[in-house]
């Protein structure tokens, strides 16, 4: 990754009309419908954006959508890049840097995750308060990182407290029950063993997924306020573990998605 590449990606999008978005949104697996709410959408497919990584997982349509949502200019990633697809940390976080260069000053992230905390149920939404990086690397571990921002990034409170408070207020107002907790990020793509779920619980995770943490690290490196919301798609009880069912995970994500859309759109209105 070079600054010149980032500039070319940014200039391409600006030439397509992606003019000064305020808010960037990353939509997780099975959570793409928010883009239907965008007025006057402009679409840029990842494969057309210079130096963008390419989307591979088939249920990701792989595009950036720009437009107006609740009166604000937004840019939405429908489909993200995962380490488990073979991408590097710098690939996974490249679009965050480009959205920052386009002008975003807030970032919202969503993901599908498994519930480690057994008080949480599939179909619940969890506001991420903190995380544990179990991905075995960092998007900041490269030679010339200092050219792009801080290397030794503070992570004492990586999820913006002000937006978190607003999300809680919105959930109360809209009657959405909202869990809060710690998200552990693993590489995947295999799901966890019973022993791994047991370990995740012991080390303090409430949910587990295969994304989000690299993007949050880069948001902090760029001093970009960020929040993340997990849609809990399965219950990870090591003493009563059912074999994974990806179509059920997608089905639960789709069923729960409207709550996430409400939280995000109402938050946009409050900012
Ligand atoms: N583990 C990891 N990632 C996931 C899970 C899980 O149980 N559910 C949804 N994404």
């Amino acid at each position: 990754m070079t600054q010149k590449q980032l500039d070319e990606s940014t200039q391409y999008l600006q030439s397509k009309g992606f003019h000064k978005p305020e808010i960037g949104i990353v939509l997780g697996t099975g959570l793409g419908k928010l883009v239907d709410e965008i007025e006057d959408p402009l679409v840029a497919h990842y494969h057309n954006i210079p130096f963008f990584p390419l989307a591979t997982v088939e249920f990701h349509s792989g595009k950036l959508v720009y437009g107006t949502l609740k009166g604000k200019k937004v840019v939405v990633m429908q489909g993200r890049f995962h380490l488990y697809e073979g991408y590097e940390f710098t690939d996974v976080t490249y679009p965050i840097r480009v959205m920052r260069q386009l002008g975003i000053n807030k970032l919202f992230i969503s993901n599908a995750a498994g519930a480690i905390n057994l008080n949480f149920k599939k179909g619940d939404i969890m506001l991420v308060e903190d995380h544990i990086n179990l991905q075995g690397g960092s998007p900041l571990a490269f030679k010339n990182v200092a050219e792009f921002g801080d290397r030794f990034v503070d992570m004492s409170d990586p999820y913006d407290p002000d937006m978190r408070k607003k999300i809680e207020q919105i959930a109360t107002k809209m009657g959405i029950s909202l869990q809060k907790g710690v998200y552990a990020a693993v590489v995947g793509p295999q799901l966890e063993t019973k022993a791994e779920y047991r370990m995740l619980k012991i080390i303090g995770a409430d949910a587990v997924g295969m994304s989000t943490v690299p993007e949050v690290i880069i948001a902090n490196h760029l001093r970009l306020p960020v929040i993340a919301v997990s849609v809990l798609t399965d219950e990870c009880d090591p003493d009563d573990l059912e074999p994974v069912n990806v179509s059920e995970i997608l089905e639960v994500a789709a069923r729960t998605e409207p709550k996430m859309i409400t939280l995000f759109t109402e938050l946009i209105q409050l900012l």
Side-chain angles (χ1 to χ4, degrees):
M1 181 189 66
T2 66
Q3 186 59 49
K4 195 159 169 291
Q5 290 171 337
L6 285 168
D7 291 345
E8 275 190 48
S9 304
T10 308
Q11 282 154 16
Y12 171 85
L13 291 164
Q14 285 166 336
S15 78
K16 296 287 169 196
F18 285 52
H19 184 67
K20 293 205 171 120
E22 291 174 67
I23 297 163
I25 304 176
V26 181
L27 298 177
T29 301
L31 300 170
K33 279 225 176 65
L34 178 68
V35 298
D36 298 343
E37 318 241 330
I38 296 176
E39 295 159 45
D40 305 320
L42 299 174
V43 174
H45 290 275
Y46 295 157
H47 61 258
N48 291 325
I49 307 172
F51 303 109
F52 242 58
L54 293 178
T56 56
V57 174
E58 75 262 17
F59 39 74
H60 282 170
S61 25
K63 59 193 191 209
L64 271 186
V65 182
Y66 168 90
T68 306
L69 193 56
K70 299 288 174 191
K72 296 218 168 61
K73 296 288 181 218
V74 299
V75 58
V76 179
M77 284 183 74
Q78 194 181 33
R80 61 147 64 82
F81 302 97
H82 295 92
L83 294 173
Y84 66 70
E85 294 165 289
Y87 297 108
E88 306 292 331
F89 278 100
T90 44
D91 296 329
V92 168
T93 50
Y94 187 88
I96 307 297
R97 293 182 183 278
V98 172
M99 291 195 289
R100 182 57 153 166
Q101 292 207 160
L102 283 170
I104 64 165
N105 52 41
K106 301 275 185 307
L107 180 64
F108 305 173
I109 299 180
S110 63
N111 59 56
I116 299 292
N117 184 329
L118 297 176
N119 297 318
F120 299 175
K121 299 294 164 214
K122 60 176 127 176
D124 281 352
I125 300 244
M126 186 188 92
L127 179 63
V128 181
E129 294 191 307
D130 205 345
H131 73 225
I132 301 173
N133 178 7
L134 297 173
Q135 293 191 317
S138 164
L140 297 172
F142 62 98
K143 285 202 179 84
N144 53 336
V145 67
E147 290 169 27
F148 299 91
D150 297 337
R151 182 186 292 277
F152 299 105
V153 172
D154 175 54
M155 293 295 279
S156 58
D157 206 1
Y159 297 84
D160 185 67
D162 178 56
M163 286 198 286
R164 268 160 47 205
K165 200 181 292 161
K166 288 189 166 74
I167 287 271
E168 288 190 59
Q169 288 163 352
I170 292 162
T172 305
K173 188 182 92 180
M174 307 300 282
I176 295 172
S177 92
L178 184 71
Q179 311 291 4
K180 292 181 282 176
V182 174
Y183 175 91
V186 296
V187 174
Q190 75 286 352
L191 280 288
E192 288 68 38
T193 64
K194 294 183 194 105
E196 287 165 339
Y197 284 132
R198 228 169 254 129
M199 174 199 74
L200 288 165
K201 186 171 187 161
I202 291 167
I203 66 174
D206 295 293
V208 57
M210 304 172 190
S211 68
T212 301
V213 163
E215 292 100 317
V216 169
I217 294 171
I218 288 302
N220 279 268
H221 155 84
L222 297 172
R223 299 174 190 270
L224 170 62
V226 60
I227 51 145
V229 158
S230 292
V231 169
L232 303 179
T233 54
D234 52 311
E235 292 161 20
C236 309
D237 181 354
D239 298 317
D240 182 23
L241 191 61
E242 288 168 23
V244 66
N245 180 340
V246 175
S247 63
E248 200 201 344
I249 285 180
L250 293 176
E251 189 260 308
V252 178
R255 176 150 55 78
T256 312
E257 186 176 24
K259 290 195 273 189
M260 181 216 92
I261 292 176
T262 300
L263 293 176
F264 280 4
T265 51
E266 293 288 317
L267 179 60
I268 291 172
Q269 257 172 319
L270 282 187
L271 293 176

